[in-house]
């Protein structure tokens, strides 16, 4: 699991933090990297699995997207939003590379691509973000760090529409590549990994 995450460019200290806090482990017998999300009581409620040496990725049965993978700050009014746990960890790694505190603000993954409905007023809201804002009423700033593709751009504009009246909302797509892991890999000069779509 550690080798896999390092191959994606993730910083070893951040990997160790996630292992020590129970956010990441390696499953047996399939040897998947499992990234957990917890409720406010510390109970695991969400699990995303990625194959080591395979293209497999998917959610464990019974996963609740309201409690997707995240890293909370002790005191912050700002949350950074990502599509995946890998992108979240990639952004944290880039902060550390630049000498900045990677755990200064809340980091939250949406557990997948947010696809708004064809009619804006009928669009559902990402469950993970809805739960986070309910549990963190002190939030003032939302930084959307979604993928640099059509779906990511539509999702960013939709969430800005929903949230701008109450929060300061800004979009920060990656400057290079499709997502934050692509950008990190390009910065480090390592191969970009591509995977198949999510599988149940």
């Amino acid at each position: 699991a550690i080798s896999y995450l390092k191959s994606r460019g993730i910083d070893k200290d951040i990997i160790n933090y996630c292992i020590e806090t129970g956010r990441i482990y390696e499953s047996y017998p399939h040897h998947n990297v499992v990234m957990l999300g917890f409720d406010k009581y510390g109970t695991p409620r969400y699990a995303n699995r990625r194959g080591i040496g395979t293209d497999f990725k998917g959610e464990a049965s019974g996963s609740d997207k309201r409690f997707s993978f995240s890293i909370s700050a002790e005191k912050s009014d700002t949350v950074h939003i990502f599509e995946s746990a890998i992108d979240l960890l990639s952004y944290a790694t880039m902060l550390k590379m630049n000498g900045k505190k990677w755990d200064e603000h809340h980091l939250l993954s949406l557990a997948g691509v947010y696809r708004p409905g064809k009619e804006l007023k009928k669009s559902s809201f990402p469950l993970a973000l809805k739960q986070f804002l309910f549990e963190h009423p002190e939030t003032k700033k939302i930084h959307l760090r979604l993928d640099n593709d059509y779906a990511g751009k539509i999702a960013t504009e939709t969430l800005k529409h929903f949230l701008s009246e109450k929060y300061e909302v800004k979009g920060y797509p990656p400057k290079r590549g499709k997502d934050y892991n692509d950008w990190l890999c390009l910065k480090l000069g390592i191969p970009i990994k591509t995977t198949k779509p999510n599988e149940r």
Side-chain angles (χ1 to χ4, degrees), residues 1-20:
I2 293 170
S3 295
Y4 169 80
L5 292 168
K6 284 184 175 179
S7 77
R8 303 294 298 262
I10 309 303
D11 179 84
K12 62 180 178 63
D13 292 336
I14 295 174
I15 297 171
N16 288 336
Y17 168 83
C18 290
I19 291 172
E20 289 166 5

Side-chain angles (χ1 to χ4, degrees), residues 26-43:
E26 181 176 330
S27 69
Y28 181 83
H30 299 295
H31 297 286
N32 295 314
V33 179
V34 183
M35 291 166 275
L36 295 178
F38 301 85
D39 62 22
K40 64 181 180 180
Y41 304 107
T43 303

Side-chain angles (χ1 to χ4, degrees), residues 73-119:
E74 287 189 11
K75 290 183 180 180
S76 178
D77 64 358
T78 303
V79 58
H80 298 263
I81 307 296
F82 306 86
E83 288 185 16
S84 73
I86 292 290
D87 289 335
L88 183 160
L89 296 171
S90 299
Y91 174 71
T93 295
M94 286 193 280
L95 287 178
K96 190 170 181 288
M97 286 168 57
N98 293 330
K100 297 179 181 178
K101 289 187 66 176
W102 61 269
D103 56 354
E104 183 177 14
H105 299 301
H106 302 292
L107 307 176
L108 174 70
S109 73
L110 297 181
V113 181
Y114 166 58
R115 292 187 174 90
K118 291 182 179 180
E119 292 184 46

Side-chain angles (χ1 to χ4, degrees), residues 58-178:
E59 296 172 349
S61 177
S63 287
D64 188 336
K65 284 183 181 288
R66 291 178 300 165
F67 305 99
S68 61
F69 184 89
S70 66
I71 297 176
S72 296
E74 287 189 11
K75 290 183 180 180
S76 178
D77 64 358
T78 303
V79 58
H80 298 263
I81 307 296
F82 306 86
E83 288 185 16
S84 73
I86 292 290
D87 289 335
L88 183 160
L89 296 171
S90 299
Y91 174 71
T93 295
M94 286 193 280
L95 287 178
K96 190 170 181 288
M97 286 168 57
N98 293 330
K100 297 179 181 178
K101 289 187 66 176
W102 61 269
D103 56 354
E104 183 177 14
H105 299 301
H106 302 292
L107 307 176
L108 174 70
S109 73
L110 297 181
V113 181
Y114 166 58
R115 292 187 174 90
K118 291 182 179 180
E119 292 184 46
L120 200 59
K121 62 183 179 180
K122 294 183 179 179
S123 294
S124 60
F125 202 65
L127 294 175
L129 182 54
K130 185 176 182 179
Q131 184 70 23
F132 175 87
L133 294 175
F134 173 75
E135 293 182 357
H136 295 83
E138 73 280 3
T139 302
K140 295 179 181 177
K141 300 176 183 178
I142 299 174
H143 294 177
L144 301 169
R145 300 184 180 276
L146 307 181
D147 287 6
N148 191 20
D149 57 13
Y150 178 77
K153 290 172 183 175
I154 290 294
T156 296
E157 291 309 309
T158 303
L159 290 173
K160 280 183 180 179
H161 172 82
F162 279 132
L163 298 165
S164 290
E165 284 189 15
K166 188 173 180 181
Y167 306 96
E168 180 185 317
V169 187
K170 294 182 180 179
Y172 295 97
K175 294 182 180 179
R176 298 176 67 193
K178 184 182 84 69

